[in-house]
Amino acid sequence: MKLLFGNKKDDLLSRLKRQEPAAQKVFYDQNVKKFLSVSRSYVTDLYQAEDCVIKAFCKIFKSIETFRNDGSFEGWARRIVVNECLNFIKSRKTVFYLDDINQSYLEEIYEEDVTFDFNAQELLDQLPDAYRMVFNLYVLEDYSHQEIADTLQISVAVSKTQLFRAKEKMRKIYFQQQKALKNEHY
């Protein structure tokens, strides 16, 4: 944790725990862009993603005393941002989780001539909420399928299915974009 005013005994975390506005501003300025990026990976609308981030900062500052120094403070705060996004999605929309898929769909598909010219946020924005939540929790937040199941109150099988479908959908969207790009160049 960076020092706020150069006093080694008085770091940013301890100032945050004392609810000092200057420390809160420093922490906000250091993390707002990063947390907005996290929020945008869950919430497609920029303004709603910003609302989630603001609510998350409020929760971070309000509940900072509950941070037990078990891990990194930034990781703890990031988890609050993620949870705020998940709560927003659950409260605004009905998210449907489709149960297990036919195993024949699990065969790997190989594509030729793969290039990596794409915008990841555009791919994530096109995923249905259920796919995006599971994909983000698994890939970006490094949750296990059991943790995802517990967090979203779904089964482990549904978590695995949603992840598979999210990857499939992203793959299809990606190759459609690549095909469109090739057509533009010819």
Side-chain angles (χ1 to χ4, degrees), residues 102-113:
N102 187 330
Q103 287 295 82
S104 65
Y105 290 134
L106 296 176
E107 296 175 10
E108 252 188 77
I109 300 168
Y110 294 96
E111 295 288 339
E112 295 180 22
D113 197 25

Side-chain angles (χ1 to χ4, degrees), residues 93-157:
K93 298 178 182 176
T94 304
V95 179
F96 296 101
Y97 296 98
L98 303 175
D99 287 332
D100 296 70
I101 58 173
N102 187 330
Q103 287 295 82
S104 65
Y105 290 134
L106 296 176
E107 296 175 10
E108 252 188 77
I109 300 168
Y110 294 96
E111 295 288 339
E112 295 180 22
D113 197 25
V114 176
T115 58
F116 293 101
D117 182 23
F118 67 95
N119 181 322
Q121 188 63 55
E122 285 179 18
L123 289 175
L124 286 172
D125 286 348
Q126 294 182 52
L127 290 178
D129 289 339
Y131 293 3
R132 188 173 50 255
M133 286 190 299
V134 172
F135 179 85
N136 287 341
L137 289 171
Y138 188 82
V139 174
L140 302 178
E141 307 303 328
D142 203 27
Y143 280 36
S144 69
H145 283 293
Q146 185 61 57
E147 290 171 316
I148 294 169
D150 294 344
T151 300
L152 300 178
Q153 298 175 344
I154 59 177
S155 71
V156 171

